[in-house]
Amino acid sequence: MSSAIRRICGAAAAGSKTDWLGGAALALVLAGAAPLAAQQRQTDDDLRALIPDAALKDPEGWAKAQAAKKPVAKEGASDAPASPAAAAAPSADLAALIPDSPMDAIAGLDLPWPEPGKEEATIPMPAALAAQEDGEMLAAAMERVPPPGAARLAARNPADAKAQGKEQERETTLASGRARLVWPADAAAMPEREAFERRFRDLSALQGLGAHDADAVAQLVVRGSSDRKLLEKLLKVYGYYDGEVTQSLIGPNPGADGTPESGTAAAAAPPTGVRFDMDPGARYHIGAITTGRLEDTGKDAARLRAALAIKTGDPLDMDAITAGTNDLAKALGEAGYPFAKVPPASLTIDHARDEGDVDVAVEPGGQYRYGAITSALPRVMSPNHLGDIARFKPGQVWNQKDVEDLRRAVLATGLVAGVNVTPRETAPPHDGQPGVVALDVAMSRAPVHTIAGEIGYDTGQGARVGASWENRNLFPPEGSLKLRGVVGTNEQLAGATFRRANFLGRDRQLTVDLYATNTTLVSYAARKVAFATSYERLTNLLFQKPWTWSMGLEVEASEEREGVPSGVTTGRILYITTALPLRAGIDSTDNLLDPTKGHRASLRISPEQSWARETQSRYARIQADASFYRSFDKVVLASRVRLGTMPGSDIDYVAPSRRFYAGGGASIRGYGYNLVGPRNALGEPRGGRSLYEFSIEARVNTHFFGGALQLVPFLDAGGVEAGTVPKFNDWRYGAGMGIRYRTGFGPIRIDVGTPLNPRAGDSRIGVYVALGQAF
């Protein structure tokens, strides 16, 4: 072992355990370097200077002696004892190696250094930030940058630079006043500005910053940075790939550059918003367009390519490109390609030519025709019944629109909770001929039982409570049985109804109804047993039809009398009536339950025959209805007209319950139910053979209950006459106010009306509560 290593070991022995370990480690390192003689001699000389011979002879004594020595400290130096190595180096500047030694002066730094024993120095903070929370110090990162062009204006004429700068800008304040978008003066710089700002307003993070957060600068900074990124993305959506957005804070009273005047009190106030200086730059255009394997569709390629609706040279608008790819996918599905894949378009932006190349990697997947239909729940809905519902037949070219129509039609039955129609290849395309796909219809069951109730009130009809129980698939497929009952002030009813939906065709229904009722009204009293059946084309919420029709047969036996004088229960006449009602209707409105535009019209003709007072009579009931709807901003103007006539038999041979009446919640509001029209010698309503009604109302939308509440002033007019051709000489007028509360299943209606020219016995107020609009 060399003398250097011995010196290290000896010195380490005089120190602590840690020093010994450190010395041993250094000895191993030096031992590994022993072959290098020149380094060994240099190392020996250095170690002799650090560890003298006295340390080898008496390590403990030498260590104690060194510990007792203290170097002469300079001003500001530490009291810590010097290391033995430092004491053995007479030429070393010990003060320069001590951490607490004062630093030499640094040019340009004039802040005083803290002195020992005194409070630490603080750095002055701007007044505008001193009042903010610690987290709000992020505002220091916001650089107040003047709008584009302001610097150039100031250089030309500093005196009026602010005024000129303001003339060169177009500003829009959004996000509840938190964001100010500043655009170049040239409107042609971005003609899509209004649409751009609407989209930004809907997505802005600053929009959610409430009034209580007005002083939260950190919130302004973070949300403003998020909105700046949003603006940059939106610029690209509209094709401005070189656009720039500069962000800065807005003071409470901003000047022309968006910042408070320096030296004013406003300059110390916290910012209230974020300014975004918009520089859209040049708009890019569409370059090359590729559509993958779309040409594999052969003769359909040109038509399908047209569905993409974009071409080279068009502005690079991502909305148009996305809509085009969606339309292309839809067109492929409707042209017989059930397995077509149309991924989102990819863009390749070329900044050198201000263009973007569009690639839509279309995979058509081959054309197919319809094959068989399978059902996952054949006991609920068999494959044959699904085929009856479908608007297509096997062998026709696949059309995704028809498949979606089938899915919705199955849902409309109410027998299933969910439907999924999946194409399955059974024969691939071959020799240019389409392949064949089967349709697998997967369904999940829905509850088939329904218990329903209704309640209503009318000043003419009184209170009415109804309940029903129904099994919608008691006789599969879609054969339902419904039991119903009504208990009311003036009506009691019990009945059973059988219905077969989608019978002999799509949206066609067979109905058989058997019921017994007892009705006691001011206009008539009737105890009746009736049988009615009808076959009709239905309209519903999912498939609102422009045309509907119905035909039927009615047979009823009833004991009836005109009017119900107090205490009189006799005098009823037996009527046996048969009828063949026919009806046709047209509907162009936008909503079945609450229309706002369009019109409706219907015509009902019912040839009837009755036996009464040992006399047989024939007559016809003809009634025409039409209603019109038009929307004006927040008001829907609705109007209605109804005309009726009953040629043929004398009115005495027509059962009172089948005559024309007017008055009530669905007729002339303000008057009692069926109380408008001719009266007999006792002053009782006896109905008539001609009818005319006109109504107009304004359905005014309000902001109450989230916009669900409507106020509806209305005016109704009309009359009933004894002759088959009305002379329009017995008009009755009613007016009032109603409210509508719109729900998901239709509006709840409450109308209060008053007769404007009442007759003796007419009430001054009529109240009507029901579900749905009056017409």
Side-chain angles (χ1 to χ4, degrees):
M1 185 180 293
S2 67
S3 60
I5 296 176
R6 287 197 301 271
R7 292 176 184 271
I8 290 173
C9 293
S16 65
K17 181 179 180 180
T18 304
D19 292 334
W20 185 87
L21 292 173
L26 182 58
L28 292 176
V29 173
L30 293 176
L36 302 177
Q39 292 184 12
Q40 181 177 344
R41 287 194 299 272
Q42 180 65 37
T43 303
D44 289 345
D45 294 340
D46 293 341
L47 291 177
R48 286 192 185 95
L50 292 174
I51 306 174
D53 293 338
L56 295 176
K57 295 179 180 180
D58 185 9
E60 294 184 5
W62 179 80
K64 292 179 181 179
Q66 295 303 316
K69 295 180 181 181
K70 289 185 179 181
V72 179
K74 294 184 180 181
E75 183 179 355
S78 172
D79 302 355
S83 66
S91 61
D93 187 354
L94 298 178
L97 300 177
I98 297 175
D100 294 336
S101 299
M103 295 180 63
D104 293 335
I106 301 175
L109 183 63
D110 55 1
L111 291 176
W113 289 97
E115 298 182 13
K118 295 183 178 181
E119 293 184 1
E120 295 184 0
T122 59
I123 300 175
M125 183 181 299
L129 296 179
Q132 304 300 321
E133 300 290 338
D134 292 342
E136 295 168 355
M137 297 302 239
L138 293 172
M142 298 288 293
E143 181 182 3
R144 299 183 186 274
V145 181
R152 295 193 298 273
L153 290 169
R156 289 200 309 266
N157 191 352
D160 61 351
K162 291 181 179 179
Q164 294 186 41
K166 192 167 185 178
E167 294 174 359
Q168 298 299 315
E169 301 167 351
R170 295 180 300 148
E171 299 179 0
T172 304
T173 301
L174 298 169
S176 303
R178 300 283 188 226
R180 185 150 63 113
L181 272 59
V182 182
W183 300 88
D186 184 8
M190 187 170 184
E192 307 82 12
R193 172 188 169 193
E194 292 186 3
F196 180 97
E197 290 176 348
R198 283 196 302 268
R199 180 173 266 169
F200 170 75
R201 181 176 59 246
D202 295 337
L203 301 174
S204 169
L206 287 168
Q207 182 74 35
L209 193 59
H212 61 284
D213 297 323
D215 297 332
V217 180
Q219 288 277 358
L220 286 175
V221 175
V222 174
R223 294 183 185 229
S225 297
S226 175
D227 277 359
R228 177 178 56 80
K229 295 177 182 178
L230 171 63
L231 289 167
E232 291 173 345
K233 291 180 180 178
L234 290 179
L235 285 173
K236 291 181 172 63
V237 167
Y238 288 93
Y240 296 90
Y241 281 82
D242 291 335
E244 295 182 357
V245 181
T246 304
Q247 174 186 359
S248 56
L249 291 179
I250 300 175
N253 297 300
D257 64 348
T259 62
E261 298 287 346
S262 60
T264 66
T272 59
V274 181
R275 169 181 172 136
F276 300 99
D277 290 291
M278 310 295 298
D279 185 8
R283 191 177 194 185
Y284 282 40
H285 291 75
I286 295 176
I289 302 175
T290 55
T291 53
R293 300 182 59 186
L294 187 61
E295 297 301 322
D296 292 353
T297 59
K299 62 181 181 180
D300 295 328
R303 177 171 57 88
L304 294 172
R305 175 64 180 79
L308 189 57
I310 59 173
K311 60 182 183 296
T312 299
D314 286 350
L316 190 56
D317 188 331
M318 283 305 302
D319 290 336
I321 294 173
T322 301
T325 55
N326 291 338
D327 290 343
L328 176 58
K330 181 179 178 181
L332 280 163
E334 293 177 358
Y337 297 87
F339 305 110
K341 296 179 181 179
V342 183
S346 61
L347 292 179
T348 303
I349 302 300
D350 190 335
H351 295 275
R353 51 189 174 92
D354 291 352
E355 288 185 344
D357 296 332
V358 181
D359 178 40
V360 185
V362 178
E363 291 288 342
Q367 192 178 47
Y368 290 83
R369 298 183 185 275
Y370 294 116
I373 298 177
T374 65
S375 173
L377 298 174
R379 297 186 63 182
V380 175
M381 202 163 294
S382 67
N384 289 338
H385 189 62
L386 291 173
D388 292 338
I389 295 175
R391 298 188 190 276
F392 54 85
K393 299 299 181 183
Q396 294 180 351
V397 175
W398 168 281
N399 190 324
Q400 184 63 42
K401 183 166 58 176
D402 291 339
V403 176
E404 176 61 20
D405 176 80
L406 172 62
R407 190 189 70 82
R408 295 176 61 201
V410 175
L411 278 176
T413 64
L415 302 179
V416 298
V419 184
N420 188 25
V421 182
T422 305
R424 173 171 48 85
E425 183 184 66
T426 58
H430 182 67
D431 293 336
Q433 295 299 315
V436 179
V437 290
L439 273 68
D440 296 332
V441 181
M443 298 170 282
S444 57
R445 292 176 182 269
V448 296
H449 295 94
T450 300
I451 299 177
E454 59 176 322
I455 184 171
Y457 175 78
D458 186 307
T459 51
Q461 293 178 286
R464 185 177 189 272
V465 178
S468 65
W469 171 91
E470 182 179 15
N471 185 318
R472 296 191 302 278
N473 204 32
L474 184 62
F475 309 99
E478 297 192 73
S480 70
L481 177 64
K482 182 176 184 178
L483 305 178
R484 68 189 193 279
V486 173
V487 176
T489 306
N490 299 316
E491 179 186 11
Q492 299 81 43
L493 179 145
T497 304
F498 166 81
R499 288 191 178 93
R500 172 80 75 183
N502 293 308
F503 180 69
L504 299 179
R506 169 75 173 272
D507 299 324
R508 299 180 183 183
Q509 179 173 279
L510 174 67
T511 302
V512 179
D513 195 16
L514 180 64
Y515 63 93
T517 179
N518 179 38
T519 305
T520 306
L521 303 174
V522 176
S523 53
Y524 65 85
R527 291 190 292 262
K528 183 184 301 186
V529 176
F531 167 84
T533 182
S534 65
Y535 183 59
E536 59 186 323
R537 185 174 191 255
L538 293 175
T539 185
N540 54 56
L541 295 176
L542 286 179
F543 299 99
Q544 186 173 344
K545 304 292 190 304
W547 289 95
T548 56
W549 51 262
S550 68
M551 61 181 70
L553 169 66
E554 297 177 3
V555 179
E556 64 180 35
S558 61
E559 291 183 342
E560 305 185 27
R561 62 157 295 152
E562 295 178 358
V564 186
S566 177
V568 178
T569 59
T570 61
R572 296 179 184 249
I573 299 174
L574 174 64
Y575 294 87
I576 298 177
T577 305
T578 59
L580 296 172
L582 305 172
R583 180 186 178 277
I586 184 173
D587 186 350
S588 69
T589 60
D590 60 338
N591 189 285
L592 192 64
L593 298 178
D594 189 12
T596 62
K597 60 181 179 180
H599 66 273
R600 291 173 180 165
S602 67
L603 176 64
R604 188 177 189 273
I605 301 175
S606 178
E608 300 184 4
Q609 179 174 275
S610 69
W611 287 267
R613 297 186 177 96
E614 300 180 353
T615 302
Q616 180 176 322
S617 308
R618 292 185 180 89
Y619 59 92
R621 297 180 78 249
I622 303 173
Q623 180 175 313
D625 292 84
S627 55
F628 307 87
Y629 310 89
R630 188 170 181 182
S631 180
F632 300 90
D633 192 19
K634 295 184 178 180
V635 178
V636 176
L637 188 64
S639 58
R640 175 184 67 90
V641 60
R642 173 178 293 166
L643 299 172
T645 184
M646 191 183 299
S649 174
D650 185 271
I651 195 170
D652 290 331
Y653 298 100
V654 179
S657 63
R658 304 188 74 85
R659 302 171 186 174
F660 285 127
Y661 298 91
S667 179
I668 306 174
R669 287 163 286 188
Y671 292 87
Y673 181 68
N674 287 358
L675 297 187
V676 173
R679 300 188 179 185
N680 59 23
L682 298 176
E684 303 164 343
R686 69 187 309 255
R689 294 196 297 165
S690 61
L691 166 73
Y692 48 93
E693 293 180 358
F694 301 89
S695 299
I696 186 170
E697 63 183 29
R699 301 166 185 172
V700 183
N701 296 321
T702 71
H703 297 292
F704 299 109
F705 299 99
L709 191 69
Q710 285 182 326
L711 297 179
V712 184
F714 60 84
L715 174 65
D716 299 331
V720 176
E721 298 183 14
T724 58
V725 179
K727 298 179 180 180
F728 302 100
N729 57 7
D730 191 19
W731 288 89
R732 297 294 136 185
Y733 301 94
M737 176 67 72
I739 61 173
R740 309 286 186 269
Y741 183 79
R742 290 182 290 188
T743 68
F745 51 84
I748 298 174
R749 173 169 64 100
I750 302 176
D751 286 335
V752 179
T754 183
L756 300 182
N757 56 338
R759 295 183 297 184
D762 287 331
S763 174
R764 296 301 304 173
I765 296 292
V767 180
Y768 316 96
V769 181
L771 178 64
Q773 297 285 5
F775 53 88

